[in-house]
Amino acid sequence: QVQLVESGGGLVQAGGSLRLSCVASGRRFSYYGMGWFRQAPGKEREFVAAIAWSAGETVYADDVKGRFAISRATARNTVYLQMNSLKSEDTAVYYCAISTVRFYRGTSREEYDYWGQGTQVTVSS
């Protein structure tokens, strides 16, 4: 089974930055790409960003364009989410996920097969 471990969450003031990491490990596994989702209390889990593993193509939710950047280190099976200019609305548990097949758009939960346990991001005013 593939294991996904997120890290890097924490408490940050509005306008600050955090960098989240997600490391995939375990059995050898071929996957198309990885994505980040987030879920705040009482809200649906929503798409944040995704990256195709080989080509590095990215897609972002409108709310985070220009503020967040997704990247990967393929040799380390690691995906990052650099979050800048954080707002209180960004407060949520952030999850990384693996897609084993080619993306349709890469923005739907149904496109992902494996999920991490999440890391909390709290942005204070």
Side-chain angles (χ1 to χ4, degrees):
Q1 184 66 261
V2 175
Q3 304 289 326
L4 298 174
V5 180
E6 302 98 335
S7 63
L11 175 65
V12 64
Q13 293 184 359
S17 298
L18 285 173
R19 190 190 196 195
L20 306 184
S21 299
C22 177
V23 180
S25 62
R27 71 178 186 182
R28 293 178 63 85
F29 196 82
S30 179
Y31 46 90
Y32 177 78
M34 297 179 71
W36 288 96
F37 289 73
R38 65 187 181 186
Q39 187 168 20
K43 298 183 66 177
E44 297 286 335
R45 189 171 298 188
E46 65 179 10
F47 170 76
V48 177
I51 186 166
W53 204 246
S54 60
E57 297 170 312
T58 59
V59 60
Y60 295 92
D62 288 342
D63 289 348
V64 306
K65 287 180 180 177
R67 299 191 297 121
F68 291 8
I70 188 170
S71 61
R72 87 285 197 224
T74 56
R76 297 179 182 271
N77 293 323
T78 301
V79 64
Y80 304 98
L81 185 68
Q82 178 67 47
M83 305 185 294
N84 300 320
S85 301
L86 283 162
K87 306 173 181 179
S88 60
E89 307 94 89
D90 297 316
T91 295
V93 177
Y94 283 70
Y95 300 88
C96 68
I98 286 175
S99 174
T100 59
V101 297
R102 184 180 298 274
F103 289 149
Y104 176 57
R105 296 190 180 95
T107 61
S108 299
R109 291 176 294 171
E110 290 76 14
E111 296 181 80
Y112 296 85
D113 306 290
Y114 300 97
W115 296 83
Q117 294 300 305
T119 185
Q120 176 71 49
V121 172
T122 303
V123 184
S124 62
S125 300

